[in-house]
Amino acid sequence: MPRNYTNRRYLDALNQKVLVFDGAMGTNLQKMNLTAEQFGGEQYNGCNDYLVISCPEVVEQIHRSFLDVGVDVIETDTFRANRLTLGEYGLAKRVLEINKAAAFLARRLADEYSSKIGRMVVHL
């Protein structure tokens, strides 16, 4: 039985060329020396996933740095955006919200750069 893939654009792009993925989001976030306030308060300090809610411009800046040098694929800022890990920060009930915000941000930028550069950028 043939498989129905949900991310056909990504698989089609793989058939055309070697795709270049974005770099180390976590390393880039660390280099920014973010404050507890940027993380949304002391209780969320170090929760990189929550930055898409508390300080999305920081995540956007890093995505743009990758896109500006020509990557084909950007990944969402969702290192450990699951119920158990986010539960350590009291954010277990916000998993869906955080994942959706991260996907929306990455998708918006992928679409923007795809239009600007005339080739498809994929987000995962």
Side-chain angles (χ1 to χ4, degrees):
M1 172 180 351
R3 294 185 72 173
N4 184 18
Y5 295 99
T6 59
N7 201 344
R8 190 74 247 165
R9 289 174 39 180
Y10 173 70
L11 295 173
D12 290 344
L14 273 175
N15 283 326
Q16 296 172 14
K17 68 178 212 164
V18 173
L19 298 179
V20 177
F21 273 70
D22 60 3
M25 175 69 77
T27 301
N28 281 280
L29 288 170
Q30 285 179 336
K31 286 200 275 184
M32 297 180 92
N33 294 315
L34 300 173
T35 65
E37 183 178 296
Q38 288 170 300
F39 279 101
E42 192 60 47
Q43 71 273 28
Y44 307 123
N45 196 5
C47 185
N48 291 339
D49 311 88
Y50 192 58
L51 287 167
V52 297
I53 303 292
S54 65
C55 198
E57 60 275 10
V58 168
V59 177
E60 181 173 331
Q61 179 183 346
I62 294 170
H63 280 318
R64 285 186 184 281
S65 73
F66 297 136
L67 290 162
D68 286 342
V69 297
V71 301
D72 299 299
V73 181
I74 57 173
E75 299 174 282
T76 59
D77 176 36
T78 51
F79 295 90
R80 308 158 306 176
N82 62 69
R83 184 177 49 83
L84 294 175
T85 305
L86 291 178
E88 295 173 12
Y89 294 94
L91 295 168
K93 292 183 178 180
R94 297 185 71 183
V95 169
L96 185 59
E97 173 191 4
I98 291 166
N99 279 285
K100 281 184 173 182
F104 178 79
L105 175 61
R107 175 78 271 150
R108 179 174 57 80
L109 293 171
D111 290 344
E112 175 188 325
Y113 275 76
S114 291
S115 297
K116 187 188 312 186
I117 62 177
R119 67 174 173 76
M120 183 184 62
V121 175
V122 178
H123 101 282
L124 296 179

